[in-house]
């Protein structure tokens, strides 16, 4: 079988779907690998490294895709790439199905069996395939580093002969993978950290990292998590109580990092304009949810803006700002996903269409859209 790694064409996408190490692993499974020239440039992976690992380096997307049995990408294909796929090819990528539902019909029309890696079930045996977690971990780290670069003060307490510098105060909204990494990174830099989340399990996790947990803890809060580990939408009454607590807390903060997302829905508003007005001049907000509308309505996708004396960062694709590490983790996720599906000798795929992982990620099969979320 031939595995293709085309160059990413979406704006600001610096990652690539394979590393020389995963190419070697695919070769060891008996597969051939073709990589488009320049595909690894954004992640600082030279074509020669792919060639040394056993891949063929081809000059164009057409050359890479025309005979490929499996196509691995980071972002979803552009419309002009789809006609280059052969019928029956498998596509695995971050396909953003909720935001681009019409794309599934295009994959089906082309005869592509498309798998959305962000739909990976959160079960134990799929942890090593979980692209949301691997990329969010880096995003949480990068959010703190970016905030520190914008902030005009130091993070840790410093006691000097000239006086004492107070530590920065950082508040993290959402204690999922990104939020927990943000907490840990801010603590390592010496900040005083607090965090809020509607999931009961988050309280212990935040406190284990040295953060202070901020939440209205009532009966609704205790039931605010799905079986899959995601936050449930909260009632208007709870949101009002929580907003009042957060409003009182955020005015004391120097930096706020928001990470809250609900699959398939716009990002919840967590920091209102009034809250921004209450923050100290020179404060910084990093909105990791900006691609789904933002946790702050003043965020602008792809921009850093100053509103009411507060710097609001809405930068896109934070994992792509750490492209080498993000590529390494993402490529390993794909390898772990594909390895059980490749028959010995690499001659064909053996897919159990009833497997929980396959049913969770497969959008299209044999010319039809099959995922329940898109029907």
């Amino acid at each position: 079988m031939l595995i293709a790694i085309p160059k990413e064409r979406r704006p600001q996408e610096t990652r690539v779907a394979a590393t020389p190490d995963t190419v070697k692993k695919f070769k060891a499974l008996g597969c051939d690998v073709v990589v488009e020239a320049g595909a690894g440039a954004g992640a600082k992976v030279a074509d020669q490294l792919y060639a040394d690992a056993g891949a063929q380096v081809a000059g164009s997307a057409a050359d890479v895709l025309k005979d490929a049995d499996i196509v691995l990408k980071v972002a979803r294909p552009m419309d002009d790439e789809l006609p280059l796929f052969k019928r029956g090819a498998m596509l695995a990528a971050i396909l953003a199905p909720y935001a681009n539902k019409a794309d599934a019909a295009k994959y089906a029309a082309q005869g592509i069996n498309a798998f959305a890696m962000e739909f990976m079930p959160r079960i134990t045996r799929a942890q090593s395939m979980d692209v949301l977690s691997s990329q969010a971990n880096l995003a949480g780290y990068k959010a703190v580093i970016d905030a520190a670069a914008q902030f005009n003060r130091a993070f840790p307490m410093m006691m000097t002969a000239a006086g004492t510098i107070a530590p920065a105060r950082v508040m993290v909204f959402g204690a999922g993978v990104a939020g927990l990494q943000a907490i840990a990174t801010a603590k390592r830099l010496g900040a005083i950290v607090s965090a809020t989340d509607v999931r009961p399990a988050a309280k212990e996790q935040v406190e284990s990292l040295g953060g202070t947990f901020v939440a209205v803890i009532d009966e609704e809060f205790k039931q605010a998590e799905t079986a899959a580990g995601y936050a449930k939408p909260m009632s208007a009454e709870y949101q009002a109580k929580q907003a009042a607590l957060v409003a009182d807390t955020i005015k004391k903060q120097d930096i706020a990092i928001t990470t809250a997302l609900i699959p398939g829905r716009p990002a919840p508003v967590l920091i209102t304009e009034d809250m921004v007005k209450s923050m100290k001049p020179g404060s910084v907000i990093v909105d990791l949810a900006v691609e789904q509308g933002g946790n702050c309505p003043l965020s602008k996708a792809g921009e850093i803006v100053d509103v009411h004396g507060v710097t609001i960062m809405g930068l896109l694709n934070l994992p792509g700002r750490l492209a080498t590490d993000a590529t390494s983790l993402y490529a390993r996720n794909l390898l772990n996903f594909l390895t059980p599906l490749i028959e010995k000798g690499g001659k064909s795929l053996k897919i159990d269409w009833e497997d929980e992982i396959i049913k969770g990620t497969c959008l299209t099969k044999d010319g039809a859209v099959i995922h329940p979320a898109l029907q």
Side-chain angles (χ1 to χ4, degrees), residues 141-170:
Y141 164 81
K142 185 60 172 166
V144 175
I145 300 304
D146 285 349
Q150 287 289 324
F151 191 46
N152 62 1
R153 287 177 40 214
F155 264 48
M157 173 182 282
M158 295 184 184
M159 301 181 71
T160 76
T164 299
I165 296 174
R169 293 182 175 272
V170 176

Side-chain angles (χ1 to χ4, degrees), residues 55-111:
Q56 174 192 350
V57 178
S60 70
D63 292 335
V64 169
L65 296 171
K66 63 181 180 181
D67 297 318
D69 301 294
I70 302 170
V71 178
L72 303 182
K73 285 182 60 64
V74 180
R76 70 189 199 281
M78 306 288 277
D79 284 350
D80 60 359
E81 291 179 273
L82 294 179
L84 305 177
F85 283 66
K86 76 175 188 180
R87 297 196 70 81
M90 173 184 180
L91 166 66
I94 300 172
L95 298 176
Y98 286 127
N100 305 279
K101 289 187 176 182
D103 284 358
K106 298 175 185 176
Y107 307 146
Q110 189 62 30

Side-chain angles (χ1 to χ4, degrees), residues 118 246 308:
E118 67 268 58
V246 169
H308 306 305

Side-chain angles (χ1 to χ4, degrees), residues 87 104-105 107-113 364-370:
R87 297 196 70 81
Y107 307 146
Q110 189 62 30
I112 297 169
N113 296 330
T364 59
K365 176 192 173 190
D366 299 333
V369 178
I370 65 168

